[in-house]
Amino acid sequence: MVDYELLKKIIEAPGVSGYEFLGVRDVVIGAFKPYVDEIKVDKLGNVIAHKKGKGPKVMLAGHMDQIGLMVTHIEKNGFLRVAPVGGVDPRTLIAQRFKVWVGPNEFVYGVGGSVPPHIQKPEQRNKAPTWDEVFIDIGAESKEEAEEMGVRIGTVITWDGRLERLGKHRLVSIAHDDRIAVYILVEAARQLAETDADVYFVATVQEEVGLRGAKVSSFGIDPDYGFALDVTIAADVPGTPEHKQISQLGKGVAIKIMDRSVICHPTIVRWMEEIAKKYEIPYQWDILTGGGTDAGAIHLNKAGVPSGGISIPARYIHSNTEVVDERDVDAAVKLTVKVLEEIPELKL
């Protein structure tokens, strides 16, 4: 089962895209350190944990950045105007609690607000708020007080989310996208015993704003094979027909066939299916037409990198209540380990 305390540390550490140094980077370095031969941080901030081998060079990427907000203006009365960092829906801001990160592992609380419905015009009540209509209230009574609290233009903000158990097998949290994959990489590094592969576990930066960390880290590593570990949509909820659910919680790890950023190498896709069957790992398929992963950058590196994807079904992606299933996480860890053990024998 999932190491709850380790996952909690990884998930709850701050790290909006471009600001991973605020907390999550150090947590990830500490988590990998006992299980790899060397760790380095590249110029963009990617954490590259290397388990040395003489066989093919394999890069596995899971992004450690999270979506969030950035302060664009401080009103005279202390309210904060914000812009999205990554794919944030302004509807998810209203009546929510936030952490405004004024320094590494240092924050002040805020709440998301907008014009109360009681005084909205009739046409406003029937539509979602725009970015011009939302703000963050940190309790300051003036711009000067907000600045005294440490807030500046460019300060980043996350939801005040935490990891909690939900029912028997489920976990709900902020930033399962994609901290759950970073956790899986750490667990795979811990469990990987014997392989001839030369393995690079990479916790990438700035995936949510354009796969930027994967682009530069794959250039530096120049892998023979690449794999992206990321969440995929589980729309297995009331009102969604089965053919549109993408994946389902509790049905196993999702082997990626395609997303908007990559068409996975067909031989790798079928080989991963064979491994899952061989070791009785529950699996399902992932065809995601509305999102991308780090594989989109990795497979285009230099002359091209044959790539695959290991996906974790998640409900309510890009909110502070993302839900995954521990059984799917365990299946993803097992598949990742077996892929690394057997990849030296892969023939394309």
Side-chain angles (χ1 to χ4, degrees), residues 170 233-238 240 244-250 314-315:
R170 308 282 161 79
I233 293 172
D236 55 340
V237 296
T240 306
K244 291 186 177 181
Q245 292 180 6
I246 312 297
S247 67
Q248 299 178 356
L249 293 192
R315 292 178 185 158

Side-chain angles (χ1 to χ4, degrees), residues 162-205:
R162 59 187 62 85
L163 180 67
E164 302 284 356
R165 295 194 180 277
L166 189 68
K168 187 176 181 181
H169 297 292
R170 308 282 161 79
L171 298 167
V172 57
S173 179
I174 184 177
H176 274 310
D177 180 11
D178 190 32
R179 304 291 177 72
I180 193 66
V182 175
Y183 165 82
I184 290 167
L185 290 181
V186 173
E187 270 297 297
R190 183 181 71 84
Q191 295 183 26
L192 184 61
E194 297 293 334
T195 181
D196 292 329
D198 192 30
V199 183
Y200 293 80
F201 301 96
V202 186
T204 60
V205 299

Side-chain angles (χ1 to χ4, degrees), residues 91-126:
R91 291 176 296 181
T92 61
L93 273 59
I94 307 304
Q96 298 291 314
R97 298 180 185 225
F98 291 89
K99 290 181 176 179
V100 182
W101 294 96
V102 297
N105 293 305
E106 183 182 359
F107 64 88
V108 297
Y109 281 112
V111 295
S114 67
V115 176
H118 313 76
I119 58 175
Q120 287 179 350
K121 297 177 181 179
E123 60 270 19
Q124 289 179 299
R125 297 174 188 169
N126 297 320

Side-chain angles (χ1 to χ4, degrees), residues 25-345:
R25 186 172 71 190
D26 288 343
V27 172
V28 170
I29 291 172
F32 271 121
K33 192 172 183 179
Y35 312 122
V36 297
D37 297 308
E38 61 181 6
I39 298 177
K40 72 174 185 178
V41 177
D42 68 17
K43 293 179 180 179
L44 208 63
N46 298 293
V47 173
I48 302 173
H50 185 196
K51 201 161 190 173
K52 295 180 180 179
K54 297 181 180 179
K57 196 182 295 185
V58 185
M59 174 180 172
L60 301 100
H63 68 89
M64 62 178 169
D65 63 312
Q66 64 190 123
I67 61 170
L69 308 172
M70 181 176 285
V71 176
T72 60
H73 178 73
I74 305 174
E75 301 279 0
K76 292 180 180 179
N77 55 4
F79 291 98
L80 310 181
R81 296 290 186 172
V82 294
V85 181
V88 183
D89 185 335
R91 291 176 296 181
T92 61
L93 273 59
I94 307 304
Q96 298 291 314
R97 298 180 185 225
F98 291 89
K99 290 181 176 179
V100 182
W101 294 96
V102 297
N105 293 305
E106 183 182 359
F107 64 88
V108 297
Y109 281 112
V111 295
S114 67
V115 176
H118 313 76
I119 58 175
Q120 287 179 350
K121 297 177 181 179
E123 60 270 19
Q124 289 179 299
R125 297 174 188 169
N126 297 320
K127 66 176 185 178
T130 67
W131 285 102
D132 288 336
E133 296 170 328
V134 297
F135 49 81
I136 303 297
D137 181 351
I138 59 171
E141 297 183 41
S142 67
K143 179 180 179 180
E144 291 73 22
E145 184 179 352
E147 291 175 339
E148 288 172 2
M149 295 168 72
V151 180
R152 300 288 184 270
I153 303 302
T155 294
V156 293
I157 302 171
T158 63
W159 283 280
D160 178 21
R162 59 187 62 85
L163 180 67
E164 302 284 356
R165 295 194 180 277
L166 189 68
K168 187 176 181 181
H169 297 292
R170 308 282 161 79
L171 298 167
V172 57
S173 179
I174 184 177
H176 274 310
D177 180 11
D178 190 32
R179 304 291 177 72
I180 193 66
V182 175
Y183 165 82
I184 290 167
L185 290 181
V186 173
E187 270 297 297
R190 183 181 71 84
Q191 295 183 26
L192 184 61
E194 297 293 334
T195 181
D196 292 329
D198 192 30
V199 183
Y200 293 80
F201 301 96
V202 186
T204 60
V205 299
Q206 299 192 45
E207 188 271 354
E208 295 288 4
V209 291
L211 318 183
R212 298 171 187 175
K215 183 175 182 178
V216 300
S217 57
S218 60
F219 188 90
I221 294 168
D222 193 18
D224 297 304
Y225 301 105
F227 294 87
L229 282 76
D230 209 331
V231 295
T232 189
I233 293 172
D236 55 340
V237 296
T240 306
E242 188 174 354
H243 72 282
K244 291 186 177 181
Q245 292 180 6
I246 312 297
S247 67
Q248 299 178 356
L249 293 192
K251 296 297 180 67
V253 59
I255 299 173
K256 185 174 290 295
I257 297 174
M258 180 184 77
D259 62 36
R260 191 175 58 191
S261 68
V262 64
I263 297 173
C264 294
H265 195 291
T267 301
I268 290 179
V269 171
R270 295 307 169 193
W271 173 74
M272 291 172 67
E273 181 186 20
E274 292 170 5
I275 289 177
K277 289 179 177 178
K278 178 180 178 181
Y279 293 101
E280 298 182 343
I281 302 169
Y283 72 95
Q284 53 192 310
W285 297 114
D286 177 24
I287 298 177
L288 182 62
T289 59
T293 64
D294 277 337
I298 297 170
H299 84 289
L300 296 176
N301 182 63
K302 295 186 178 179
V305 180
S307 297
I310 296 173
S311 301
I312 306 92
R315 292 178 185 158
Y316 323 124
I317 289 174
H318 283 204
S319 77
N320 65 334
T321 55
E322 298 175 344
V323 177
V324 301
D325 191 298
E326 286 185 292
R327 295 166 295 184
D328 300 334
V329 176
D330 289 340
V333 172
K334 188 172 183 180
L335 180 61
T336 302
V337 171
K338 294 304 180 184
V339 162
L340 292 174
E341 288 177 350
E342 301 203 5
I343 201 166
E345 307 302 321

